[in-house]
């Protein structure tokens, strides 16, 4: 029977044919290993999370300020040397969290106790 709308069924997109076609969470989407870039991206994300959480506690503004500064600098360098889109995504999330933690840390007292 002819398809009057010209729609072509693509069942391999909806149901992968093998285990290797399934979604894999990886920072190396280009198939090559990038250990330095991956470490920098994860470090940026962790620094951003620590800075953001520390900024929410009023008495830990020093930690939020310093970790946010370190995460911000690491994130910029990591963004510069990143090789894949997944690394860049982690970098942006970490950079934003580091910036917010840094800004709140500075607003609540800054770098010194």
């Amino acid at each position: 029977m002819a398809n009057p709308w010209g729609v072509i069924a693509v069942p391999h997109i909806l149901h992968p044919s093998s285990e290797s076609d399934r979604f894999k969470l990886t920072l190396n989407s280009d198939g090559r290993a990038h250990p330095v870039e991956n470490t920098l991206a994860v470090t940026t994300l962790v620094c951003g999370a620590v800075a953001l959480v520390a900024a929410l506690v009023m008495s830990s503004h020093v930690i939020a300020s310093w970790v946010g500064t370190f995460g911000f600098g690491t994130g910029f360098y990591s963004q510069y040397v990143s090789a894949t889109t997944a690394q860049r995504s982690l970098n942006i999330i970490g950079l934003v969290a580091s910036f917010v933690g840094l800004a709140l840390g500075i607003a609540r007292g800054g770098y010194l106790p």
Side-chain angles (χ1 to χ4, degrees):
M1 179 172 193
N3 190 346
W5 297 286
V7 178
I8 300 171
V10 283
H12 64 280
I13 299 296
L14 300 176
H15 302 288
S17 61
S18 68
E19 189 65 31
S20 65
D21 292 341
R22 293 192 185 272
F23 175 76
K24 294 179 185 174
L25 183 62
T26 179
L27 293 178
N28 300 323
S29 59
D30 61 351
R32 293 182 293 188
H34 304 285
V36 174
E37 292 86 350
N38 291 344
T39 303
L40 286 170
V42 171
T43 302
T44 301
L45 185 67
V46 169
C47 285
V50 169
L52 192 59
V53 169
L56 297 177
V57 178
M58 188 66 98
S59 62
S60 62
H61 61 87
V62 175
I63 295 169
S65 298
W66 283 107
V67 174
T69 301
F70 180 73
F72 207 55
T74 304
F76 278 133
Y77 180 71
S78 180
Q79 187 74 357
Y80 177 69
V81 298
S82 64
T84 64
T85 304
Q87 293 166 354
R88 292 180 189 112
S89 298
L90 286 184
N91 287 333
I92 295 301
I93 294 168
L95 276 167
V96 169
S98 292
F99 176 75
V100 171
L102 172 63
L104 289 174
I106 289 174
R108 293 180 175 169
Y111 293 99
L112 300 175

